[in-house]
Amino acid sequence: MLDQIHIDNLIALIGVSNVMYGGLGKRSDPGMSAQNLGADVVVNPGSQAEIVKLVEYCNLQNISVVPQGGRTGLSGAAESEPGQLIIDMHRMNQIIDVDLVSSVATVEAGVKLEMLQNQLSENGLSVGVDLAARGSATIGGMVSTNAGGTEAFRFGTMRHRVLGLEAVLPNGEVFSDLKQVIKANEGYDIKQLLIGAEGTLGIITKVVLALAPADSNRTTALISCENARSAAMTFQKLRNRIKGDLLCAEIMWPEYAYTTARSLNLGKLLEFSESPADVFVIVDIATNSLDGANSYLEDLLSDLIDDQGIRSAVVAQNGREASDIWKIREESFLCDEKYPNGYWYDMSVPLSHLDQYVEDIHARISAIDKRLKLFLFGHLGDGNLHLTVSSGLSCPELQPQIDAAIYDGLREIGGSFSAEHGIGNQKALSLKKHSDAEKYRLLGLIKRTMDPNGIMNPGKIFLY
Ligand SMILES: Cc1cc2nc3c(=O)[nH]c(=O)nc-3n(C[C@H](O)[C@H](O)[C@H](O)COP(=O)(O)OP(=O)(O)OC[C@H]3O[C@@H](n4cnc5c(N)ncnc54)[C@H](O)[C@@H]3O)c2cc1C
């Protein structure tokens, strides 16, 4: 833990009620990892000026800083250890402005996604990025991880939504680029370095977001396809045909879909499928009225059914059925409950390679140990796959082989071993291994230039 002298000085900087230590820090919800609260000294600044004071102090005293938002990150990027200082952003939760003429929102970094979504939807607008952790994930955390989610094929990732931002850099200086426009060619785009930096280059305090139109009524359909290639073709055909009205396109392989569906007692929803080997696609489609929606979607899908390997499809008949279909997709942790000790992966694969890639990894994993199962699902629209490999048994000795089976060859086909969850401390070694050497050198150069004392979230992205 930090020495008492530092704790006293932190209290002098931002007040006793905003510094938690001596077990108090551990009383917060650790989120996705108990190690998020490993440091046990948590400060809750209420303004950018307070963050400047904290960071200046830490830089001077060589104290490592771990910024935290909703602690929903999935790659260990918010984990901390004794001797470090957690800067918790939850008090910086003001929606500063929603400009309806420019369709732009300016928010503090600690604003939760759902809170912003709720306010925007009253005005027919949305963030353009959505994810299942919306109730806890903060805009600052989402910018720092360059979050993607289900709408990325329509609106891009956070990188594409951020028009401007403000951040406290590791030396305590404030970087301010609060543009509200899309076009601004003014030399290197420094704010893009902070997006996806996972708190290693500074603490984001304020964000300007370009907003997207809110979706109208949506209807959900569940489609079964012969394989991933036909799933990808179905996505492209639907998209070409109905364009912006295709809101989401998600994919689940059978091992995953049947495991979550049975755990939820929703196995019946998958009975329309003709073969146990079918791949499932969930699509949401925008429709003006719920009444016309079902027949519209049914007509659309029946046109596609004879084509490209769509086998069958069902349209949700009401909101309850739609929500049950989405539960099968979103309750991914049920697979971990049934088959614990798994290894998680998050890759991007070009759609034209999807089927072959998935076939290859099944064969490679089976060659390692026949008991290993692959629970595979993802955001079909952008080729982002989430995968858990598990036999239920603990097998740390197999992890390097499993990593290689999943990652080898991905770069060569134009994919990525790290799609949307970031590098954190879990994939730092893989980043070194799977990056272009010159890119990796430049990453290190940028880090050392902006944070020469290495105080900002050390051990994340980089091994040191
Ligand atoms: C059920 C579930 C579903 C999910 N689905 C998706 C999904 O579809 N797509 C997706 O991309 N992710 C998804 N995630 C992962 C997670 O929600 C995102 O990574 C999210 O962006 C993290 O936000 P957070 O506020 O919780 O950040 P945290 O977990 O608190 O922090 C994540 C990283 O951001 C840094 N950070 C946080 N705030 C700041 C700040 N103000 N300034 C600088 N650095 C900061 C931290 O240091 C850390 O490196 C999911 C997670 C869960 C639990």
Side-chain angles (χ1 to χ4, degrees):
M1 189 156 111
L2 281 179
D3 289 346
Q4 187 61 40
I5 178 81
H6 291 311
I7 291 171
D8 292 343
N9 288 337
L10 294 170
I11 290 171
L13 289 176
I14 65 163
V16 69
S17 56
N18 296 315
V19 181
M20 293 154 75
Y21 63 100
L24 275 181
K26 296 219 189 248
R27 286 208 199 148
S28 312
D29 179 356
M32 293 307 294
S33 161
Q35 204 48 43
N36 284 343
L37 296 178
D40 193 29
V41 183
V42 182
V43 286
N44 302 315
S47 68
Q48 186 184 76
E50 287 187 350
I51 296 181
V52 168
K53 285 195 239 172
L54 291 167
V55 173
E56 274 176 352
Y57 180 78
C58 289
N59 194 33
L60 202 66
Q61 300 293 332
N62 228 344
I63 296 170
S64 301
V65 166
V66 181
Q68 290 185 354
R71 303 184 184 119
T72 66
L74 297 173
S75 62
E79 291 187 353
S80 63
E81 51 190 61
Q84 298 186 321
L85 179 69
I86 296 169
I87 297 194
D88 180 328
M89 298 296 289
H90 81 270
R91 286 182 64 221
M92 302 211 24
N93 61 359
Q94 296 302 306
I95 297 176
I96 298 164
D97 182 47
V98 177
D99 179 339
L100 297 179
V101 177
S102 301
S103 203
V104 158
T106 305
V107 302
E108 286 189 318
V111 167
K112 290 187 174 146
L113 173 61
E114 193 168 60
M115 176 182 163
L116 183 58
Q117 280 175 332
N118 289 343
Q119 177 155 339
L120 294 176
S121 68
E122 289 169 14
N123 293 302
L125 294 167
S126 80
V127 175
V129 175
D130 188 26
L131 37 85
R134 58 187 77 80
S136 305
T138 61
I139 298 301
M142 290 173 64
V143 173
S144 299
T145 55
N146 184 25
T150 52
E151 300 180 351
F153 74 91
R154 292 198 287 154
F155 301 121
T157 63
M158 287 305 278
R159 200 177 282 297
H160 308 100
R161 312 306 309 156
V162 175
L163 298 175
L165 62 72
E166 216 163 70
V168 178
L169 300 180
N171 60 2
E173 295 292 331
V174 173
F175 166 80
S176 182
D177 185 4
L178 291 174
K179 295 232 171 30
Q180 307 215 353
V181 288
I182 293 174
K183 292 181 179 170
N185 287 343
E186 301 179 357
Y188 304 137
D189 194 351
I190 302 295
K191 74 173 182 302
Q192 288 293 341
L193 287 178
L194 286 139
I195 303 172
E198 301 179 41
T200 61
L201 296 181
I203 301 185
I204 295 167
T205 51
K206 215 180 267 179
V207 182
V208 183
L209 293 167
L211 303 176
D215 297 331
S216 45
N217 289 332
R218 48 175 68 209
T219 299
T220 298
L222 185 58
I223 305 168
S224 72
C225 296
E226 200 177 318
N227 52 36
R229 186 176 168 74
S230 57
M233 284 310 295
T234 302
F235 162 71
Q236 299 296 5
K237 289 204 157 202
L238 279 173
R239 194 181 191 195
N240 292 342
R241 189 96 165 253
I242 60 173
K243 305 194 165 52
D245 284 346
L246 180 60
L247 305 179
C248 292
E250 301 282 299
I251 186 164
M252 305 180 287
W253 274 262
E255 192 86 65
Y256 175 87
Y258 286 108
T259 302
T260 56
R262 282 175 189 144
S263 300
L264 291 160
N265 278 328
L266 294 174
K268 267 198 166 327
L269 280 176
L270 304 182
E271 282 176 3
F272 75 98
S273 154
E274 288 171 13
S275 153
D278 280 355
V279 169
F280 294 97
V281 174
I282 301 177
V283 290
D284 270 7
I285 289 181
T287 42
N288 290 329
S289 79
L290 216 55
D291 284 349
N294 286 343
S295 52
Y296 169 65
L297 201 48
E298 273 161 7
D299 286 353
L300 197 64
L301 291 173
S302 64
D303 272 5
L304 292 176
I305 258 171
D306 297 329
D307 209 16
Q308 301 296 345
I310 288 196
R311 295 224 231 229
S312 47
V314 284
V315 175
Q317 294 304 311
N318 50 49
R320 166 86 196 272
E321 222 168 86
S323 138
D324 284 347
I325 290 173
W326 272 100
K327 274 190 201 156
I328 297 175
R329 156 64 187 82
E330 289 194 332
E331 303 282 334
S332 56
F333 297 109
L334 294 169
C335 293
D336 300 288
E337 270 174 38
K338 195 138 200 250
Y339 292 90
N341 302 306
Y343 295 104
W344 294 2
Y345 300 90
D346 161 43
M347 310 75 74
S348 277
V349 183
L351 291 186
S352 55
H353 292 271
L354 194 59
D355 201 35
Q356 187 63 54
Y357 172 75
V358 171
E359 204 178 291
D360 288 350
I361 61 173
H362 271 100
R364 288 187 216 150
I365 296 288
S366 169
I368 296 169
D369 183 335
K370 288 213 165 3
R371 291 171 299 179
L372 290 168
K373 290 180 184 299
L374 283 79
F375 300 97
L376 191 55
F377 65 100
H379 309 298
L380 176 61
D382 56 50
N384 176 190
L385 299 183
H386 298 305
L387 165 68
T388 304
V389 179
S390 176
S391 64
L393 307 168
S394 172
C395 53
E397 72 288 357
L398 296 184
Q399 192 185 359
Q401 288 175 69
I402 299 174
D403 282 0
I406 308 296
Y407 292 156
D408 285 356
L410 254 180
R411 195 171 139 206
E412 287 70 17
I413 58 170
S416 169
F417 78 96
S418 172
E420 64 174 6
H421 294 158
I423 302 295
N425 54 16
Q426 293 172 6
K427 287 183 252 171
L429 190 62
S430 301
L431 179 70
K432 187 165 187 207
K433 194 165 169 208
H434 296 284
S435 288
D436 168 67
E438 181 57 11
K439 177 192 163 172
Y440 194 75
R441 188 187 71 79
L442 288 170
L443 287 176
L445 196 61
I446 291 166
K447 168 70 176 169
R448 287 190 295 278
T449 305
M450 290 181 70
D451 182 16
N453 296 330
I455 63 154
M456 215 38 97
N457 212 3
K460 317 298 164 46
I461 298 187
F462 303 98
L463 293 168
Y464 49 86

